[in-house]
């Protein structure tokens, strides 16, 4: 499956962080002529050869763009190249459409596997759908950060296979902001994948915020874009159901959470972020679960933010680069 | 197998920590008559019933002993009782032999599975043998802490299945302190277990400080006492050989080390301590290994110290209580 | 000031944790006669002498109470004693009122500085008021945990010196649950302390969830009960205003949050809990503040939960015991 | 004072890490002609302007050098530029002397405040002197890592103001490797700075591994190169003497260590690295000190390694960039 496929598509979307807008106000304009500097992000992944950084940075500089951060990674023995740059630019000197063209030419020149550029202030935000089952702590946390302007996405819908009833707190939260909530009960043979596909076809990626249902290979292929999952265990330990219970029974002294891309193999996709917390013999299964919930929230939101800021790239078969 | 068997035996050993001696000087004598207070530690594990704490603490108080710390743990649904107490006492009022008898009576009264008392200032230190293969970072670290009085054990011997040659740094370190070093090369069918048993029969427990050899069930049974191992992976992930390589290939974002008791099943005995450290895509296998080494040293020494201070008890099938 | 004054008063309050109720269902009844076992918590602080544990545990056992956890701490050189016990008991054999009397007798016998007993299932919950200024992330987090049954208190009111307007999200959240919100604007000479006292006189303790106003010694004395504050810096560094800015300017590589009791000296009361997170040169003041917010929420809620579970006791002049 | 002065000097030296040699063997040669690729590191700090990355990377590419990692940092509002690159190159195509000249031209072009290049395999190792007082845990740790090839420096001497006697363990360790140990007792008015200067004049930087003596401004000026100190407290808290005691008395729940550059103001120079560990009411001053020692060792060695790998640069008045 083409992980991170969506990152290749050069056509989208803004507003990496609401707060980056404010912070950009204070960026000094270093080369005259205008005050309306914008902030661009570019990621690039291609076979390695001499001179890629020189070409990329020359492209930016030739349009008057000023690199603020750059990160290059060339793993040993792999002959592949990864980079991520942030830069300010004057849209009068470098119109958004021409920027796409310039980077597209470079991606052709280097046979790039990935090349994405985003200008958060003017590109549309990423659109996501959030899928949940019974546990809604991750959903509520995402909602709250989104509502505070700390999550740089548009939530187009929430889909659940668990019946909450119309008066559930989380449903009222969503309603107030006009986010539709769909209840699609699933069962063994009935994954409702066609209906889900229909609901999420216009999203940029999916977030499984404790959705206890495994997607088929067909679904992954049809959707074709990235899906980020939060697993309440420290993968590759404790795959599958009830990871807290598995951890409790294994007598571990540290519990964890893992955010990762969904692949066809259950709980085996590339890991984006992991977090741990200490437990002792005094912890019981319930306190394992409760301690885990705080980890899950933090671990999921960190992965989503990194993804939206174009920091996450696929690496080898089952790994990630997280710039 | 009877894990922690040695803890049951009531006959041994002193000097929990070299420094505890100094700190004891400042213990105020709370009930007159003498200045020579000693410091005792008692652990107890038995079926739960009403009144155990009352009986244990009354036993200590009736001899003029003053409890400094106490920790009681009764897990839900299990009907078992665990406790650990530290207390000062006047050996003139409570001779060491009578203390053993007093606690032995209590262990009979409550059908105790474990009952151990230690008076570090006057009991003999625990005797250990350290087994290593090629990597000696854990051994050197143990040696250095021991030499600084920070490891409350006597190292009776070091046994290795890796040929270092007579001029190896670590061998000279050991020689200077008169610790014998035995080179016992092993191979597939030749584990040298009889010779090892002969060398370690008078130890209180064994430490596998990166010993890359699995003991047979017969060895474990014949030795009959506890064996602490350090595994350079976050168990139950990455059991067996090359855990750093397994972790590297799994693309984890956190690596770990686990100290645990050895059982008949490889890398599956009760976990005593676990530690983690962050890794990124920039880490390669070598940096995984190097970061892991620092974790291993800390994780192993913490387990040994906890064990010597009678903090570690078996719990359920494969867990530990670590007071 | 008498820190932790409220803990001495023996008359209150239930429901340490909503979930503890459920977990109690599974407690095996170990001595027959009834199925309605309750769960008690007792903390004790007195001058040290021989036999305190024996008397306390005998008191519990003599009423058929079964100790589940016990923790005793006698610091070196201080001649003071601290303990905390949890036990199950049959209210038919040990009526709540007699329990108070029994422990009261013990507190007389040992001249206790503190002796508190709580039976969460039947005692009233602690009542708190939450004070906030502009930042409401801690308040919203408290509200959400409270609403999920994870915060074992009754929030009687929220008081703010910052004008939110009637449509603020947090005000609507509170309204829905009938929690009154009072807006009391403060200024240099006008701290509104008399009005605040009037609003909070029936609370058990106060929570300052980012309340940017220093109380007078008179207020502390008049209120007479504990006040828990969250400071967004790693005390004793960065006292006073804008601790994130202070930390940013100091070039630290770790930022932190501290929950502590309020004393007459600004940001100098006994520390209950501290947490840290890593920062780098890439973090700016805004990311310092945002990273800090997650720490603050966790650090405050942990302190409140520990306090409600009777885990926090004053120790020496400016320290705490946190069992 | 000119912090990090030494980094400007373009003339030195090799062997960033003993192990990097080995890892380089596996670097694929991407452009033909030779198998003897070397590994260079370049850091650069200058006023910001458009096109710096383009020029630097073009310089490397034009000589056939292949960038493996690059890191660029341009802080908001500061108009300064920082970068660090690692690259492979063929010394036949880019002789070491010409590399110095090429980067020197760039440093002129951009009015660089810092520009340093190192080729660890062929440049001389950094030479350091280690200064210690009574505590030698950091010195022994440095020695052990150095002896294992994990510390990429040459230790030219150890200087102490504490009398160990000739039979001290650490002195014998040093002797075996021919590292001279100088005992220079100091007193209030007698800092022995002239003698120290004489002993360290040919070093590249100094390491204060628990040296309890404050250098004068004259000494710092005369030495003129960087000095790295380890402070056993979490700066800016607990400056000056006995930081563990200060922390203990403040009742903190986290203790820390800080490695930093020495400036004229005591314990106020730019922070390079900080680490923390949890403490509780059960910890006494001695356990504070012991827990701190492990932190100090790790925190100091991490700072030294980062410095030798050209990762540490001065930033603003009292901060560091740590790439």
């Amino acid at each position: 499956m083409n992980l991170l496929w969506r990152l290749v598509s050069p056509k989208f979307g803004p507003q990496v962080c609401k707060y980056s807008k404010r912070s950009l106000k204070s960026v000094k304009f270093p080369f005259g002529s205008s005050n309306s500097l914008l902030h661009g992000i570019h990621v690039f992944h291609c076979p390695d050869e001499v001179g890629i950084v020189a070409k990329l940075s020359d492209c930016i500089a030739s349009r008057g763009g000023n690199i603020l951060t750059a990160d290059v990674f060339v793993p040993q023995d792999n002959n592949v190249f990864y980079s991520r740059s942030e830069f300010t630019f004057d849209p009068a000197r470098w119109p958004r459409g021409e920027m796409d063209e310039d980077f597209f030419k470079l991606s052709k020149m280097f046979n790039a596997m990935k090349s994405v550029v985003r200008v958060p202030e003017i590109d549309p935000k990423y659109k996501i759908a959030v899928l949940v089952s019974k546990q809604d702590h991750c959903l509520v946390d995402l909602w709250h950060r989104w509502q505070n302007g700390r999550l740089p996405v548009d939530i187009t819908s929430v889909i659940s296979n668990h019946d909450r009833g119309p008066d559930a707190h989380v449903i009222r939260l969503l309603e107030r902001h006009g986010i539709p909530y769909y209840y699609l009960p699933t069962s063994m043979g009935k994954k409702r994948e066609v209906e889900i596909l229909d609901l999420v076809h216009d999203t940029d990626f999916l977030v499984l915020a404790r959705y206890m249902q495994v997607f088929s290979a067909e679904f992954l292929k049809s959707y074709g874009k990235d899906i980020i999952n939060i697993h309440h265990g420290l993968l590759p330990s404790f795959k599958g159901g009830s990871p807290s219970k598995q951890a409790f029974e294994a007598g571990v002294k540290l519990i964890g959470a893992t955010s990762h891309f969904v692949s066809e193999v259950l709980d085996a996709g590339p890991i984006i972020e992991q977090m741990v917390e200490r437990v002792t013999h005094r912890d019981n299964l319930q306190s394992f679960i409760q301690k885990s919930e705080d980890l899950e929230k933090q671990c999921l939101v960190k992965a989503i933010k990194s993804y939206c800021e174009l920091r996450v790239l696929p690496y080898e078969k089952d790994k990630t680069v997280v710039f």
Side-chain angles (χ1 to χ4, degrees), chain A:
Chain A
M1 201 193 61
N2 187 0
L3 282 170
L4 290 164
W5 175 90
R6 192 59 175 127
L7 284 177
V8 193
S9 156
K11 60 182 175 259
F12 44 175
Q15 209 65 19
V16 163
C17 301
K18 195 180 171 184
Y19 45 92
S20 68
K21 225 174 193 170
R22 260 177 286 148
S23 58
L24 273 171
K25 282 179 195 162
S26 57
V27 172
K28 295 275 174 49
F29 187 64
F31 46 90
S33 94
S34 154
N35 240 323
S36 55
L37 283 190
L38 293 177
H39 187 173
I41 307 173
H42 179 246
V43 290
F44 201 69
H45 173 30
C46 67
D48 190 33
E49 64 178 84
V50 168
I52 306 172
V53 180
K55 287 284 184 203
L56 292 176
S57 50
D58 184 61
C59 167
I60 294 171
S62 69
R63 294 294 203 141
N66 191 38
I67 291 176
L68 298 181
T69 75
D71 208 339
V72 171
F73 172 57
V74 176
Q76 290 176 358
D77 308 331
N78 279 6
N79 287 326
V80 289
F81 174 95
Y82 294 88
S83 77
R84 181 184 180 276
S85 314
E86 295 185 26
F87 52 92
T88 50
F89 68 101
D90 179 356
R93 286 186 63 182
W94 202 5
R96 185 69 184 83
E98 293 181 22
M99 182 182 284
D100 276 349
E101 281 168 36
D102 289 350
F103 284 122
F104 186 70
K105 277 178 209 157
L106 286 168
S107 74
K108 286 283 164 201
M109 181 186 303
F110 292 108
N111 295 306
M113 284 86 90
K114 311 279 167 205
S115 173
V116 192
V117 63
R118 275 176 68 80
V119 184
E121 287 115 326
I122 58 174
D123 291 352
K125 277 189 200 175
Y126 281 131
K127 282 185 289 201
I128 69 169
V130 181
L131 288 90
V132 292
S133 293
K134 189 174 182 189
Q135 306 304 323
D136 61 12
H137 54 279
C138 286
L139 172 60
V140 171
D141 186 66
L142 291 178
W143 176 86
H144 196 255
R145 289 173 197 268
W146 171 82
Q147 187 263 341
N148 277 347
R150 297 282 167 81
L151 200 70
V153 297
D154 277 333
I155 303 175
T156 63
S157 64
V158 171
I159 300 167
S160 175
N161 60 358
H162 175 78
D163 190 6
R164 283 180 166 69
D167 292 329
H169 169 56
V170 69
I171 293 180
R172 288 186 311 210
L173 286 182
L174 297 170
E175 259 173 13
R176 197 179 324 142
H177 290 270
I179 300 172
Y181 173 93
Y182 301 104
Y183 168 46
L184 289 182
T186 53
S187 57
M188 270 298 277
K190 204 174 179 184
K191 297 186 167 210
R192 316 295 291 264
E193 295 191 338
V194 175
E195 290 140 293
I196 294 173
L197 264 182
D198 196 51
L199 290 171
V200 305
H201 74 278
D202 66 338
T203 56
D204 292 303
F205 64 99
L206 297 186
V207 173
L208 310 190
R210 298 289 306 268
Y211 186 64
M212 306 286 99
Q213 183 74 30
V214 182
F215 285 122
S216 68
E218 289 69 38
F219 179 88
L220 298 182
K221 199 174 167 190
S222 302
Y223 180 61
K225 297 171 242 174
D226 291 322
I227 304 176
I228 295 176
N229 183 45
I230 181 71
H231 182 78
H232 47 308
L234 206 61
L235 294 175
S237 280
F238 312 129
K239 294 181 181 181
S242 304
S244 291
K245 190 153 179 287
Q246 291 182 53
F248 180 65
E249 283 166 4
V252 298
K253 300 298 186 187
L254 291 169
I255 55 167
T258 304
S259 49
H260 65 99
F261 288 114
V262 171
S263 70
E264 292 174 42
V265 184
L266 176 63
D267 296 332
I271 294 169
I272 304 171
E273 175 65 280
Q274 298 190 294
M275 294 181 180
V276 286
E277 187 167 328
R278 197 157 274 278
V279 287
T280 76
H281 57 278
R282 296 206 178 276
D283 284 287
N284 54 28
L285 180 52
Q286 270 169 317
S287 68
F288 265 57
I289 290 169
Q290 287 183 25
K291 286 184 171 183
S292 178
E293 288 182 2
D294 275 335
L295 291 177
E296 292 158 39
K297 293 188 285 187
Q298 294 172 59
C299 195
L300 178 58
V301 81
K302 194 160 175 197
I304 295 174
K305 285 170 97 164
S306 292
Y307 185 86
C308 292
E309 294 171 3
L310 303 187
R311 296 184 182 281
V312 187
L313 287 161
Y315 171 34
E316 292 181 349
K317 202 175 77 69
D318 268 335
K319 299 183 183 181
T320 58
V321 168
V322 182
F323 279 126

